[in-house]
Amino acid sequence: MKRRGMIEKLWAEEKYKVMMHSQKHYNLIREELKKDISIETLEILINDAFKITPESGSVINTADHMWGYFKKVCTAAEKNEYMRLKEAYKKEEVPAEKMLAFIRKSADKYEVEYLQKSTVLHK
């Protein structure tokens, strides 16, 4: 695989996890990707983002971005379950992992390979 392909593959796998940890880093990396970034620099920026503890709002934003892959194809029951999990997370009644597990299950059901490969959906 060529260098640019490796960079794009790494970003595709890590972007939602970066978004969850730090919107600032997510935006910075997106800008850097428009330039001739090295894979080493990308790895450093990604790892810097992971040092930041995710905030509730960034977790919800990330989950909503991923949920966007399903909102037009899911059943009413699935949509209701996602909304229930999101509200329960906001009230600190369930951990983020419950919401992310539901998104992972949906990614598998609807065969969304891009999300299936995302590290944020794996423990």
Side-chain angles (χ1 to χ4, degrees), residues 101-121:
F102 184 74
I103 292 171
R104 170 67 193 191
K105 181 179 168 186
S106 299
D108 289 341
K109 176 182 178 181
Y110 293 106
E111 298 178 344
V112 180
E113 188 177 344
Y114 190 76
L115 290 182
Q116 289 173 319
K117 293 180 178 179
S118 180
T119 59
V120 76
L121 297 179

Side-chain angles (χ1 to χ4, degrees), residues 18-123:
V18 168
M19 181 187 285
M20 190 168 72
H21 281 265
S22 170
Q23 186 68 43
K24 177 183 163 190
H25 281 80
Y26 176 84
N27 292 337
L28 171 66
I29 292 169
R30 286 186 60 211
E31 286 303 311
E32 289 298 316
L33 286 168
K34 294 175 184 175
K35 305 173 190 171
D36 188 27
I37 188 173
S38 70
I39 195 157
E40 294 80 13
T41 300
L42 178 59
E43 288 171 340
I44 290 167
L45 292 171
I46 288 170
N47 288 324
D48 284 349
F50 294 163
K51 294 174 186 172
I52 298 169
T53 302
E55 295 178 3
S56 176
S58 62
V59 171
I60 290 167
N61 180 52
T62 302
D64 282 346
H65 271 266
M66 292 186 291
W67 183 252
Y69 283 87
F70 316 112
K71 67 182 181 183
K72 292 183 180 177
V73 296
C74 68
T75 66
E78 289 167 334
K79 181 178 181 180
N80 289 337
E81 178 62 6
Y82 175 70
M83 298 307 280
R84 184 193 70 74
L85 286 168
K86 187 165 93 167
E87 288 306 311
Y89 172 75
K90 286 180 184 178
K91 295 176 186 174
E92 299 181 359
E93 296 170 351
V94 299
E97 290 74 23
K98 287 265 188 188
M99 198 169 41
L100 295 175
F102 184 74
I103 292 171
R104 170 67 193 191
K105 181 179 168 186
S106 299
D108 289 341
K109 176 182 178 181
Y110 293 106
E111 298 178 344
V112 180
E113 188 177 344
Y114 190 76
L115 290 182
Q116 289 173 319
K117 293 180 178 179
S118 180
T119 59
V120 76
L121 297 179
H122 301 279
K123 290 187 176 187

